Amino acid sequence: MILTIATTPFPGQKPGTSGLRKKVAVFRQPHYAGNFIQSIFDVLEGYAGQTLVIGGDGRFYNDQVIQTAIRMAAANGFGRVLVGRDGLLSTPAASHLIRKHRAFGGLILSASHNPGGPDGDFGIKFNAANGGPAPEKLTDAIFARTGAVSSYRITDTPPVDLGRIGESKLGSTTVAVVDPVADYAALMQSLFDFDAMRDLVRTGFAMRFDAMSAITGPYAKAILEDMLGFPSGTVINGTPLPDFGGHHPDPNLVHAKELVDSVMPPDGPLFGAASDGDGDRNLIIGQGIYVTPSDSLAIIAANATLAPGYAKGLAGVARSMPTSAAVDRVARKLGIGCYETPTGWKFFGNLLDAGLITLCGEESFGTGSSHVREKDGLWAVLMWLNILARRRESVAAIVTAHWREFGRNYYTRHDYETIASDAADRLMKALRAKLVALPGQHGITLADDFAYDDLVDGSRSAGQGIRLIFEDGSRIVYRLSGTGTEGATLRVYLERYEPDASRHGLETQQALSSLIKLSRGIADIERLTGRTSPDLIT
């Protein structure tokens, strides 16, 4: 039996760069999730009888919303629902399932790297048939529909048993519960040289992977420990927990401190890595060295042909605008295209689908390739392991050799978190008012509000971040983040290129000190926000 539940719109159900994210308390309001899911279905066309993939990162409230989503998919006419066992799917694994099974799309229940638990965050996003996040045109239509939705459809059926692999029926809809890891692990084995990595492990090479009590735990145990032969215990915090064990599942130097403290000393493991809440971000470190996401993208691009899946070379590369230009220099040497897009993985999707790029990445710990249409944390870790296995050098040696060849892009991001939204908006408005006058001051040659014209679909995305570009190639970028659930986060990105190898050993904040001081003065950060220093430096 299909029920039609009368409802009224909720204000503010606007999807951000990665779907709708709100506090759990907001999502627990009666009909809140149902309204948003119905709004997604209402703007989609042609899905009757088609396949929908559904999964989540296991955070608090996932188990309840996933049952709602399955019953609503059946009531709205999907013919088949693929769902990960226990409702679990990493975001890249969900993208792969959508593509492998030629599904109409997928619902991913996650708030990515945001905290979980009853007082944490929750999220829902729709991924399209290419496996990637919905384009802006679709998310705008979903938001418009949330303001008018008056009912949602759902089956009057008991919960589906998600603990058992197999098929069941909800009316005419088949619900298939699948192993969340198997297909993804097979994909990784097709891309990387597992034999070379096994040989590396047999030499006594030690690593540590921090799953942060989030979704990548089962994937990392299966691939790193079971398939590659790393010893049991290589994966720490490997069981997904609804509150991520109290961790903030954001793989950076602050929130992955347990990993950093174990790997950085000279007697620690040779390689360390971590992933986030939904498995799409990554942290790469070695003994005594942290590899910035911007450098990681560049080094992967320079060494990609060492992996079997990329042995024929790269079609091109892309980076988000705030990401450092390190990969640009690699692209120039390789003679391939390099594209600069706004922040948000959906902007890479068209370039990937058109065959213009093979690799892409963001400074916010996201790296990926054409194998799926999401960033992929464990993929990046395996790519690094493949490089280490083939080159038989340390992480530090590989990084410093790259700098000698291409120069070093000193790079940092300063986050001012949970600023009052009106104060953040005033700061950005004041900056925009200064753009015309800034060129010619402080060595600035260009000051603009970045806009992107999509080469594939012709769409234009304006207001993507304020750029100050200097005559020596240095950059300051100001941008408000769209991934939080409280207030606003001002992100300030700073970059300076250093070709002189004798100056590659400077401490990053020291190397960028003059730019840091200038960035605070130009934006008048202290006066407008009350903040004298950032909350997070990466």
Side-chain angles (χ1 to χ4, degrees):
M1 179 179 177
I2 295 175
L3 303 177
T4 300
I5 308 296
T7 186
T8 56
F10 289 90
Q13 287 192 324
K14 182 175 178 60
T17 54
S18 294
L20 179 67
R21 293 182 189 171
K22 300 288 183 182
K23 287 293 182 185
V24 168
V26 174
F27 265 100
R28 294 179 88 175
Q29 296 175 90
H31 311 309
Y32 191 89
N35 272 26
F36 187 69
I37 295 170
Q38 188 65 56
S39 296
I40 294 173
F41 294 159
D42 283 353
V43 302
L44 300 177
E45 296 178 354
Y47 61 77
Q50 298 293 310
T51 297
L52 183 72
V53 172
I54 304 179
D57 61 13
R59 68 179 53 234
F60 184 85
Y61 207 45
N62 185 92
D63 57 345
Q64 296 184 52
V65 175
I66 204 161
Q67 294 287 348
T68 297
I70 293 168
R71 292 164 59 206
M72 288 186 65
N76 279 273
F78 281 95
R80 185 175 179 84
V81 173
L82 288 179
V83 58
R85 184 180 53 218
D86 297 323
L88 300 178
L89 279 176
S90 76
T91 291
S95 179
H96 176 51
L97 281 181
I98 292 169
R99 294 168 63 79
K100 178 181 179 180
H101 293 277
R102 295 181 173 85
F104 185 87
L107 291 177
I108 298 176
L109 312 183
S110 174
S112 187
H113 57 292
N114 292 11
D119 299 320
D121 298 341
F122 194 79
I124 302 175
K125 73 171 180 175
F126 177 76
N127 277 31
N130 72 342
E136 281 190 314
K137 182 179 180 181
L138 181 54
T139 56
D140 287 346
I142 293 168
F143 178 51
R145 181 58 185 161
T146 65
V149 65
S150 59
S151 64
Y152 61 88
R153 294 183 293 281
I154 189 168
T155 61
D156 183 19
T157 51
V160 176
D161 181 4
L162 299 181
R164 181 178 58 85
I165 290 175
E167 295 187 354
S168 60
K169 284 283 191 177
L170 283 185
S172 60
T173 301
T174 299
V175 178
V177 179
V178 300
D179 185 320
V181 175
D183 284 336
Y184 177 85
L187 176 63
M188 294 300 104
Q189 194 164 18
S190 74
L191 296 174
F192 298 115
D193 189 342
F194 274 37
D195 287 337
M197 288 188 267
R198 291 187 186 104
D199 288 344
L200 180 67
V201 174
R202 283 192 282 268
T203 69
F205 180 91
M207 74 164 289
R208 183 159 295 167
F209 180 88
D210 189 350
M212 306 190 87
S213 301
I215 190 64
T216 48
Y219 295 84
K221 286 181 178 178
I223 296 172
L224 298 177
E225 296 183 359
D226 298 344
M227 297 175 73
L228 294 180
F230 281 102
S232 178
T234 294
V235 177
I236 61 173
N237 300 311
T239 301
L241 299 174
D243 65 349
F244 306 120
H247 300 130
H248 186 156
D250 189 356
N252 58 46
L253 298 178
V254 174
H255 298 305
K257 189 176 185 301
E258 178 185 0
L259 174 73
V260 173
D261 288 347
S262 68
V263 175
M264 283 291 193
D267 60 346
L270 298 173
F271 180 57
S275 190
D276 70 328
D278 67 330
D280 64 355
R281 300 187 181 212
N282 71 91
L283 170 69
I284 301 295
I285 55 176
Q287 283 185 346
I289 191 165
Y290 155 62
V291 185
T292 71
S294 296
D295 277 346
S296 181
L297 175 63
I299 291 166
I300 287 172
N303 292 273
T305 55
L306 296 177
Y310 307 90
K312 294 181 179 179
L314 307 178
V317 295
R319 61 170 174 84
S320 65
M321 181 273 287
T323 301
S324 96
V327 74
D328 302 37
R329 303 180 188 282
V330 176
R332 280 196 292 272
K333 181 170 183 178
L334 295 177
I336 59 176
C338 183
Y339 304 88
E340 183 180 44
T341 74
T343 295
W345 209 257
K346 57 192 173 186
F347 293 104
F348 294 137
N350 280 350
L351 297 171
L352 289 163
D353 288 345
L356 293 173
I357 64 171
T358 307
L359 297 181
C360 43
E362 297 180 335
E363 53 71 38
S364 53
F365 299 88
T367 324
S369 86
S370 52
H371 70 291
V372 292
R373 294 299 182 267
E374 290 277 4
K375 49 186 175 280
D376 189 345
L378 195 50
W379 171 91
V381 175
L382 291 169
M383 178 61 91
W384 265 94
L385 277 172
N386 198 123
I387 294 167
L388 290 163
R390 291 292 304 277
R391 289 184 55 164
R392 295 298 177 102
E393 298 174 88
S394 70
V395 174
I398 289 170
V399 172
T400 54
H402 183 89
W403 290 341
R404 284 194 301 273
E405 181 175 359
F406 294 98
R408 180 176 182 182
N409 288 70
Y410 281 101
Y411 182 86
T412 190
R413 188 182 90 193
H414 289 195
D415 287 3
Y416 298 81
E417 298 177 333
T418 60
I419 297 171
S421 295
D422 57 348
D425 290 339
R426 281 197 303 272
L427 183 148
M428 295 298 286
K429 182 178 180 180
L431 271 173
R432 290 188 177 97
K434 297 177 181 178
L435 291 178
V436 174
L438 281 172
Q441 301 181 40
H442 313 292
I444 295 171
T445 58
L446 175 68
D448 69 359
D449 196 351
F450 180 63
Y452 177 67
D453 295 304
D454 194 295
L455 293 173
V456 179
D457 65 17
S459 63
R460 183 175 178 83
S461 301
Q464 296 297 315
I466 291 172
R467 299 187 301 177
L468 308 181
I469 300 177
F470 296 75
E471 57 192 2
D472 66 353
S474 297
R475 295 193 308 160
I476 300 174
V477 174
Y478 303 89
R479 181 177 164 271
L480 296 183
S481 171
T483 60
T485 60
E486 288 184 296
T489 295
L490 171 67
R491 289 184 171 157
V492 183
Y493 311 83
L494 305 115
E495 175 181 13
R496 179 174 72 81
Y497 177 65
E498 178 55 71
D500 183 354
S502 68
R503 296 182 58 79
H504 287 170
L506 299 176
E507 193 277 325
T508 299
Q509 302 306 307
Q510 176 190 351
L512 295 169
S513 58
S514 60
L515 273 183
I516 292 169
K517 182 178 179 180
L518 184 61
S519 72
R520 296 175 184 178
I522 289 175
D524 209 1
I525 291 175
E526 182 174 353
R527 184 180 69 84
L528 292 174
T529 69
R531 305 295 180 85
T532 58
S533 61
D535 298 284
L536 180 65
I537 296 175
T538 51

